[in-house]
Amino acid sequence: MDDTEMIFLSEIDGLHPDQSYKVMQVFIKCTGGPVYSRQRICELDPVDESTPPTNGQSKKSKSSMNKGKLLIKSSMSGTVGEILLKVGQTVTVGSPMLRVSVCKHPTMLGNMCGDCGITFEEEDAEEEEQRELGRAVVQHKTVSMLHSMPNLRVTVEEAERLGAADRAHLLDNRKLVLLVDLDQTLLHTTNDNVPHNIK
């Protein structure tokens, strides 16, 4: 979790730029948990900004034109760092809602991220391939970590980091690693040109 981003209210959410809205309900209850793309964040109600009626005039406001409550959904996935909305608060377009740590998903177990816990569905695959800025995406180049658990995958960068940490630990403790390839599976999977007469 290295990238922190803010989720703001925007016109894309169906809000009018000149209208104020009252926060009626906040669906994200605690920090540290996951937030998913398209997950409900809050419910807003347009604020009546008209002047009180005088001389028997009917009261018309922007809220009468903009009836109904609006459900605001998250534009990205990640881990909630801070909730910036409170029930009863008045907000406008551009108001911050959440601070989110965007996960790069370096460790995947099946279709679930091992770091943030977000589960990806089949419909998310197209979104992941687009690699939109600010979206939580799965790195496409992954390495299987254990032969007995092929669903446990890490990104190439994470595999290199783990390998360097392993190497540093072994060197610090003055240890060696002996790799025995009895059935020559490693030898047969190499990209190097291996002579045919090797024994």
Side-chain angles (χ1 to χ4, degrees):
M1 309 280 177
D2 37 36
D3 296 331
T4 302
E5 301 216 7
M6 299 282 279
I7 300 179
F8 297 94
L9 285 169
S10 69
E11 293 179 46
I12 297 170
D13 298 317
L15 305 179
H16 191 274
D18 300 325
Q19 175 76 47
S20 294
Y21 298 88
K22 183 176 182 181
V23 178
M24 302 304 291
Q25 189 171 2
V26 178
F27 298 108
I28 305 290
K29 301 295 183 189
C30 60
T31 59
V35 62
Y36 306 98
S37 182
R38 299 181 300 273
Q39 179 180 350
R40 297 182 306 168
I41 294 177
C42 64
E43 181 179 36
L44 303 178
D45 194 21
V47 174
D48 185 6
E49 296 176 345
S50 67
T51 56
T54 56
N55 300 333
Q57 294 175 340
S58 64
K59 184 176 181 180
K60 289 193 176 183
S61 67
K62 290 179 186 175
S63 63
S64 63
M65 296 182 280
N66 215 1
K67 284 186 181 176
K69 297 178 179 166
L70 296 169
L71 285 176
I72 306 301
K73 297 182 178 183
S74 175
S75 59
M76 65 180 74
S77 299
T79 302
V80 178
E82 184 179 0
I83 302 168
L84 304 168
L85 291 174
K86 292 186 172 91
V87 174
Q89 177 182 357
T90 301
V91 295
T92 58
V93 170
S95 296
M97 296 186 290
L98 296 174
R99 185 181 317 271
V100 176
S101 296
V102 180
C103 183
K104 300 297 182 195
H105 312 300
T107 307
M108 296 290 294
L109 183 57
N111 64 344
M112 184 177 82
C113 176
D115 286 2
C116 66
I118 292 175
T119 304
F120 291 92
E121 297 176 10
E122 296 300 324
E123 62 192 37
D124 293 334
E126 187 176 305
E127 182 179 301
E128 292 161 16
E129 289 172 6
Q130 293 173 355
R131 294 181 174 270
E132 296 177 69
L133 183 62
R135 302 267 180 173
V137 295
V138 174
Q139 301 289 335
H140 291 286
K141 294 182 180 178
T142 58
V143 178
S144 183
M145 285 300 288
L146 297 172
H147 179 70
S148 60
M149 290 184 67
N151 286 340
L152 178 61
R153 301 180 320 271
V154 297
T155 60
V156 172
E157 294 82 14
E158 182 70 3
E160 289 172 353
R161 186 190 69 76
L162 290 169
D166 226 8
R167 188 178 322 110
H169 174 73
L170 290 170
L171 289 173
D172 287 345
N173 292 317
R174 301 178 55 87
K175 300 285 183 182
L176 296 176
V177 174
L178 175 63
L179 178 64
V180 179
D181 186 21
L182 295 177
D183 60 355
Q184 297 185 350
T185 52
L186 290 178
L187 183 66
H188 292 180
T189 59
T190 185
N191 289 334
D192 296 335
N193 290 330
V194 179
H196 294 289
N197 59 356
I198 194 167
K199 291 184 181 182

